[in-house]
Amino acid sequence: MEEALLKRWRLILGGDEADGTGVSLSAEESRVDSALNALYDSDRKGGLNGSAPKVSRWLGDIREFFPQTVVQVIQKDAIKRLNLTSLLTEKEMLESVVPDVHLVATLMSLSRVIPEKNKEIAREVVRKVVDELMKKLSSPMQQAVTGALNRSSRRRNPRYNEIDWRTTIEKNLRNYQPEYKTIIPEVRIGFGRKRRALKDIVLCLDQSGSMGASVVYSGIFGSVLASIPAVQTRMVVFDTSVVDLTDDLQDPVDLLFGVQLGGGTDIDRALGYCQTVITRPTDTVLVLVTDLCEGGNEREMRKKMISLVQSGVQLIVLLALNDDGAPFYDKENAQFLAELGVPVFACTPDKFPDLMAVALAKQDVGMWLSKNIQ
């Protein structure tokens, strides 16, 4: 056990003058060491030299040596440390990488420079991640949202086609008549207003480069919400300009490739557009996903935030929607929103369905936040 521990330290420290362990590596352990050196000691050992074939072989090696969760971390480090983003436009690299959220964000930022002949491969990489996330996230989101809407809209004496039969029967079991073998429905429970969307949701996403993973998760959730008849969902993305991607919500891959990560940030302009598409303020939840680092007119941005809140819109600001931890954000703008009564926080994807359920049911988001977000 002591030798195994020393070997681990040897792999962490690297070889040559960094090696003070005095242990020798087997042939396979030497291959692991070489794979790690190519990335983490690249400044003194030549690294991967920006060669697509060499990088592809290296990607194959790390998949052989490490579990997928570790491969994703190493792969992310390689893209960041060795500036391999340009190689992701090449077919050989696209076929070798392990798809994950961060890779999708990188491909989104490169979508304009990926050669036409390689775009289909890039879409396949993105679709693998999208399909996996949809399987994981769609059911919790649908259950949370429909449950919240059913509870908030349930009413007495509904029209026949609006009756919630299961709940009505449960409420009237005490009125069972044995001689007639039936239940007298003294109280009828219904969903109400089923002929139109009960709530409007606007997802407004900052597509500046720092928000990549948040945009990926937001796009997935937007597509799931769009499949729920009881809500009407709109997707708006912005940098210094504003693009409405609502028509792409049916296909999250098209949606993500419609996002152009990078550029500046004009929250004021984005909120101005959202105001033009909100027709039922008191029945609207506006989720603004941004780090609040305004590059436009900050004073006008704050005025629009006040106007939205005063109109009855339920405004929620997510500084991040990912698993990456605490983000960088503009603390003064966050404080301004907090004083306005607007919840401002970072949210992990597993908490987002519950958050939307609370918002749609018009419950206290601040109370939910204190119990669920550390």
Side-chain angles (χ1 to χ4, degrees):
M1 289 185 65
E2 182 179 351
E3 184 179 3
L5 182 61
L6 285 173
K7 284 187 175 182
R8 288 195 174 195
W9 275 110
R10 162 64 182 79
L11 291 170
I12 292 170
L13 294 171
D16 301 331
E17 67 277 7
D19 180 12
T21 60
V23 297
S24 299
L25 301 179
S26 67
E28 183 173 349
E29 289 164 345
S30 294
R31 289 182 63 208
V32 175
D33 189 43
S34 296
L36 294 173
N37 283 340
L39 171 58
Y40 296 107
D41 288 334
S42 59
D43 55 338
R44 59 191 180 88
K45 298 212 174 181
L48 299 172
N49 297 327
S51 162
K54 190 170 184 179
V55 172
S56 296
R57 287 193 297 272
W58 176 78
L59 287 167
D61 285 344
I62 64 171
R63 282 203 303 273
E64 176 184 347
F65 300 141
F66 303 104
Q68 182 160 321
T69 51
V70 177
V71 170
Q72 291 174 352
V73 173
I74 294 175
Q75 188 172 269
K76 181 183 175 184
D77 286 347
I79 292 171
K80 182 178 179 180
R81 291 168 63 96
L82 303 181
N83 193 27
L84 300 181
T85 51
S86 60
L87 289 180
L88 289 174
T89 63
E90 299 188 21
K91 178 181 178 181
E92 192 166 2
M93 268 286 284
L94 288 170
E95 292 175 337
S96 302
V97 289
V98 174
D100 66 359
V101 169
H102 297 286
L103 180 64
V104 169
T106 302
L107 290 176
M108 287 161 57
S109 68
L110 295 172
S111 61
R112 285 170 287 188
V113 298
I114 295 175
E116 198 64 37
K117 62 182 180 180
N118 294 340
K119 282 190 175 179
E120 192 54 41
I121 301 175
R123 289 179 66 86
E124 290 176 8
V125 171
V126 173
R127 187 166 293 282
K128 286 181 182 178
V129 177
V130 167
D131 288 347
E132 183 178 334
L133 290 176
M134 289 289 282
K135 289 178 183 177
K136 177 182 177 182
L137 301 174
S138 60
S139 181
M141 174 60 88
Q142 289 173 342
Q143 291 176 9
V145 170
T146 55
L149 291 174
N150 287 345
R151 288 190 297 273
S152 64
S153 63
R154 192 166 287 150
R155 67 180 190 180
R156 303 297 176 96
N157 299 319
R159 296 184 179 91
Y160 179 80
N161 64 343
E162 295 174 345
I163 293 176
D164 176 355
W165 287 107
R166 181 185 180 88
T167 305
T168 296
I169 291 170
E170 290 175 351
K171 290 289 185 182
N172 289 279
L173 285 175
R174 67 179 181 276
N175 297 325
Y176 179 71
Q177 304 295 313
E179 63 273 26
Y180 298 109
K181 296 183 178 181
T182 190
I183 292 173
I184 304 299
E186 182 182 15
V187 177
R188 289 181 297 160
I189 306 296
F191 297 113
R193 298 169 60 190
K194 289 184 86 173
R195 291 168 294 177
R196 61 183 257 183
L198 296 170
K199 295 285 185 177
D200 294 339
I201 299 173
V202 180
L203 297 177
C204 186
L205 314 179
D206 182 343
Q207 62 176 356
S208 58
S210 61
M211 303 297 294
S214 297
V215 172
V216 175
Y217 281 116
S218 299
I220 299 296
F221 282 124
S223 293
V224 175
L225 288 167
S227 70
I228 302 174
V231 295
Q232 179 174 292
T233 305
R234 184 175 290 274
M235 176 75 74
V236 177
V237 299
F238 68 94
D239 43 33
T240 53
S241 59
V242 181
V243 181
D244 193 322
L245 294 178
T246 303
D247 290 341
D248 291 328
L249 281 172
Q250 302 305 318
D251 187 338
V253 176
D254 284 343
L255 177 72
L256 294 177
F257 270 98
V259 174
Q260 303 291 336
L261 286 177
T265 307
D266 195 333
I267 304 172
D268 171 51
R269 178 175 291 187
L271 292 178
Y273 177 80
C274 290
Q275 287 179 314
T276 67
V277 298
I278 292 174
T279 57
R280 303 189 297 165
T282 57
D283 287 324
T284 298
V285 177
L286 171 57
V287 181
L288 176 63
V289 184
T290 179
D291 56 15
L292 292 174
C293 296
E294 174 66 313
N297 190 322
E298 186 175 275
R299 182 178 179 182
E300 290 300 315
M301 175 195 74
R302 292 188 175 188
K303 284 184 178 180
K304 287 182 175 63
M305 290 172 171
I306 294 172
S307 177
L308 284 163
V309 171
Q310 290 179 342
S311 72
V313 171
Q314 188 165 10
L315 176 61
I316 298 171
V317 177
L318 300 185
L319 302 169
L321 179 56
N322 58 42
D323 293 303
D324 293 344
F328 172 83
Y329 62 95
D330 188 302
K331 291 180 173 55
E332 291 185 3
N333 284 329
Q335 181 62 35
F336 167 78
L337 285 163
E339 292 171 357
L340 198 60
V342 175
V344 183
F345 57 99
C347 183
T348 54
D350 63 306
K351 298 290 186 183
F352 189 69
D354 286 343
L355 166 64
M356 292 306 302
V358 169
L360 292 169
K362 289 195 171 182
Q363 296 174 0
D364 189 334
V365 175
M367 182 68 70
W368 176 88
L369 182 59
S370 66
K371 293 179 179 178
N372 292 274
I373 305 294
Q374 300 300 322

